[in-house]
Amino acid sequence: MARVALVTGGTRGIGAAISKALKAAGYKVAASYAGNDAAAEKFKAETGIPVYKWDVSSFDACVAGVKKVEADLGPVDVLVNNAGITKDTAFHKMTLEQWNAVINTNLGSLFNMTRQVIEGMRARKFGRVINISSVNGQKGQFGQVNYSAAKAGDIGFTKALALENAKGGITVNVICPGYINTEMVQAVPKDVLDKNILPQIPVNRLGEPEEIARSVVFLAAEDAGFITGSTLTVNGGQYHA
């Protein structure tokens, strides 16, 4: 029986690449998304991967969403917590809404989603939880106190949950991408990219979403059971934790 993988934010950018790579590796994949119906329908038509719409910052929405996925595909064996947002501004100008939205979506969602599947994983003695953090959760970033705090929290969440479940056949790991060639990065003006971002990256290029996806497939594998509580940095040499 193919194992079931659920990818949050799984229809665009890094998440779409992860969903496709897991399907190619033989998993039954479900991709959740928050709001872009057109992109989700296009993704579904192109890949055949079922899509589910809910807000990962809402615990109740995650309860209902995961129940629907499991009713359709079966119990979730691999959870990829990829969904995330940015609301960048200098901290002295940041609003409570900008803080809460990013913390709730980028960190709170790890509780909301993982809580739905962890008991089943423990009962079945198998599970893979893979959290997508960021280089900016490791080193900080100007204008991203909310984002960096949430992404750093993802790393702490990973380490503690890994310890709690290590004896039960469940691994919990986190990937910290650097600058990846997605819509979000493509929106950065070219002169800023060329002058400020690429010079920070020793390999002198952006990463590709597929490079993050390959890392997820590696950590999700049956034979990756001795890797848990780890932080995998995929950033072209930009930063070493």
Side-chain angles (χ1 to χ4, degrees):
M1 279 289 286
R3 293 202 180 277
V4 174
L6 171 55
V7 183
T8 68
T11 63
R12 296 166 62 202
I14 290 172
I18 292 169
S19 297
K20 291 174 191 174
L22 286 168
K23 184 181 180 185
Y27 294 85
K28 287 197 289 184
V29 179
S32 82
Y33 72 102
N36 194 323
D37 294 321
E41 287 307 314
K42 183 169 182 273
F43 170 85
K44 181 181 177 182
E46 289 174 354
T47 64
I49 294 170
V51 299
Y52 299 82
K53 183 178 182 179
W54 76 81
D55 175 7
V56 293
S57 73
S58 162
F59 184 84
D60 291 342
C62 292
V63 171
V66 173
K67 275 185 181 167
K68 181 77 168 71
V69 169
E70 294 198 325
D72 291 350
L73 301 181
V76 173
D77 301 298
V78 178
L79 173 63
V80 183
N81 286 309
N82 168 72
I85 61 169
T86 56
K87 288 187 180 289
D88 296 353
T89 190
F91 184 75
H92 64 277
K93 298 177 182 175
M94 188 175 290
T95 65
L96 181 61
E97 188 279 329
Q98 288 170 320
W99 172 266
N100 284 340
V102 170
I103 295 294
N104 293 342
T105 298
N106 296 12
L107 177 58
S109 64
L110 270 63
F111 176 83
N112 296 341
M113 288 297 305
T114 311
R115 189 64 185 82
Q116 312 312 321
V117 301
I118 195 71
E119 289 186 59
M121 289 177 174
R122 288 169 66 92
R124 295 187 302 276
K125 301 289 185 189
F126 180 88
R128 299 282 184 264
V129 178
I130 301 163
N131 301 314
I132 309 299
S133 178
S134 167
V135 64
N136 292 342
Q138 297 174 295
K139 70 174 188 61
Q141 177 67 359
F142 187 97
Q144 287 197 327
V145 171
N146 50 3
Y147 185 83
S148 295
K151 291 300 190 178
D154 293 347
I155 297 170
F157 176 100
T158 297
K159 291 179 177 182
L161 192 65
L163 292 174
E164 290 187 10
N165 291 279
K167 290 180 180 175
I170 300 163
T171 68
V172 189
N173 294 290
V174 59
I175 297 171
C176 290
Y179 285 92
I180 306 298
N181 188 22
T182 61
E183 285 176 37
M184 191 166 71
V185 173
Q186 287 162 10
V188 174
K190 188 174 186 308
D191 62 321
V192 174
L193 202 63
D194 291 343
K195 290 178 189 172
N196 299 342
I197 293 176
L198 290 178
Q200 296 178 37
I201 306 172
V203 302
N204 199 38
R205 67 171 176 86
L206 299 175
E208 293 299 328
E210 291 74 19
E211 292 177 297
I212 306 302
R214 282 194 289 276
S215 303
V216 171
V217 172
F218 165 68
L219 291 172
E222 302 270 344
D223 55 5
F226 202 58
I227 304 169
T228 194
S230 289
T231 304
L232 180 56
T233 58
V234 188
N235 62 29
Q238 180 186 353
Y239 181 82
H240 304 280

